[in-house]
Amino acid sequence: QKEVEQNSGPLSVPEGAIASLNCTYSDRGSQSFFWYRQYSGKSPELIMFIYSNGDKEDGRFTAQLNKASQYVSLLIRDSQPSDSATYLCAALNRDDKIIFGKGTRLHILP
Amino acid sequence: EPEVTQTPSHQVTQMGQEVILRCVPISNHLYFYWYRQILGQKVEFLVSFYNNEISEKSEIFDDQFSVERPDGSNFTLKIRSTKLEDSAMYFCASSDGTSDEAFFGQGTRLTVV
């Protein structure tokens, strides 16, 4: 079973601090990785995708990929209360299926 | 901004009935997907569709399920003889094929009673 693993949280971070979300995946054939944000009762919203080792920055968000360690992370700088949500890590595996982790609940403390 | 739209937003059906969930993908997209999310659980892949045929499906997507692209814009998921455990949010997604990004619709909440 090809899995994507995340700590379910909740992860509590003070407003203005950096939130760090982590994810590991089991399928070494996975090529692309995604971070989605999901508010309660809403659909997943794509924040970032990454397919090369290293860092990719977009505004307050930085995705990091380490294929050797099969590890993906998302950093959120200057955390805002509106960032409070569940963050889903997903991997596009060799079967062209996007497999989701269970998500990490992030709570930004005002 | 283009978006994936799904109808209805909420569907209540009796056990054993058939339901059709509808999706209008982003107009220039070529790949279409259905996912489901049972309350409190993770998003699960059901099926992908390309060039008018199923390209991949999960073990969840058994004979009870079918997909169709009846015209140039709609993409439907049919669930025959619904069961209580089919109650979930069903998400449609699409991608353009030039990148792997998949964009999700707002979902249809299916409640089987």
Side-chain angles (χ1 to χ4, degrees):
Chain A
Q1 181 77 2
K2 299 181 174 64
E3 297 286 346
V4 174
E5 300 289 342
Q6 296 179 255
N7 188 322
S8 61
L11 174 66
S12 295
V13 173
E15 183 176 355
I18 296 175
S20 177
L21 303 160
N22 305 310
C23 167
T24 58
Y25 61 95
S26 62
D27 181 7
R28 283 198 172 273
S30 297
Q31 295 296 317
S32 299
F33 305 89
F34 310 88
W35 283 100
Y36 285 84
R37 177 175 61 198
Q38 187 175 30
Y39 294 111
S40 181
K42 303 296 185 182
S43 66
E45 174 192 5
L46 182 65
I47 299 174
M48 297 277 292
F49 75 96
I50 186 168
Y51 52 86
S52 298
N53 272 328
D55 295 0
K56 180 181 179 182
E57 187 174 318
D58 183 2
R60 295 188 296 113
F61 299 97
T62 299
Q64 299 173 317
L65 173 60
N66 183 326
K67 289 186 178 180
S69 301
Q70 297 178 239
Y71 177 89
V72 192
S73 66
L74 178 71
L75 301 178
I76 307 175
R77 287 180 297 282
D78 188 24
S79 298
Q80 305 296 309
S82 59
D83 294 327
S84 297
T86 296
Y87 287 80
L88 308 177
C89 175
L92 180 68
N93 70 11
R94 68 185 80 195
D95 298 326
D96 271 347
K97 298 175 189 174
I98 298 178
I99 305 299
F100 285 82
K102 291 185 177 180
T104 298
R105 285 179 293 137
L106 175 65
H107 183 209
I108 305 302
L109 303 170
Chain B
E1 186 172 322
E3 59 180 13
V4 177
T5 58
Q6 291 185 243
T7 54
S9 57
H10 190 187
Q11 173 94 42
V12 181
T13 189
Q14 286 196 320
M15 191 168 56
Q17 296 296 304
E18 174 183 286
V19 295
I20 296 176
L21 310 182
R22 292 183 165 79
C23 169
V24 179
I26 294 172
S27 63
N28 63 335
H29 283 189
L30 302 175
Y31 295 80
F32 314 115
Y33 311 88
W34 282 102
Y35 288 82
R36 79 172 184 191
Q37 188 175 31
I38 296 170
L39 185 64
Q41 299 187 23
K42 65 179 181 180
V43 178
E44 299 174 291
F45 170 80
L46 292 178
V47 65
S48 59
F49 193 86
Y50 170 71
N51 201 26
N52 282 322
E53 60 183 26
I54 291 173
S55 48
E56 291 290 339
K57 60 182 181 178
S58 72
E59 53 276 7
I60 301 169
F61 194 89
D62 58 20
D63 292 343
Q64 183 194 6
F65 295 89
S66 61
V67 290
E68 192 177 35
R69 189 157 163 80
D71 53 43
S73 60
N74 290 284
F75 179 51
T76 62
L77 174 69
K78 182 188 291 185
I79 309 174
R80 287 180 282 276
S81 188
T82 49
K83 304 187 285 278
L84 295 177
E85 54 266 37
D86 295 327
S87 295
M89 283 288 284
Y90 288 82
F91 294 109
C92 173
S94 69
S95 65
D96 63 8
T98 61
S99 74
D100 296 326
E101 298 168 89
F103 296 90
F104 282 72
Q106 293 304 304
T108 293
R109 180 174 298 283
L110 176 65
T111 303
V112 182
V113 296

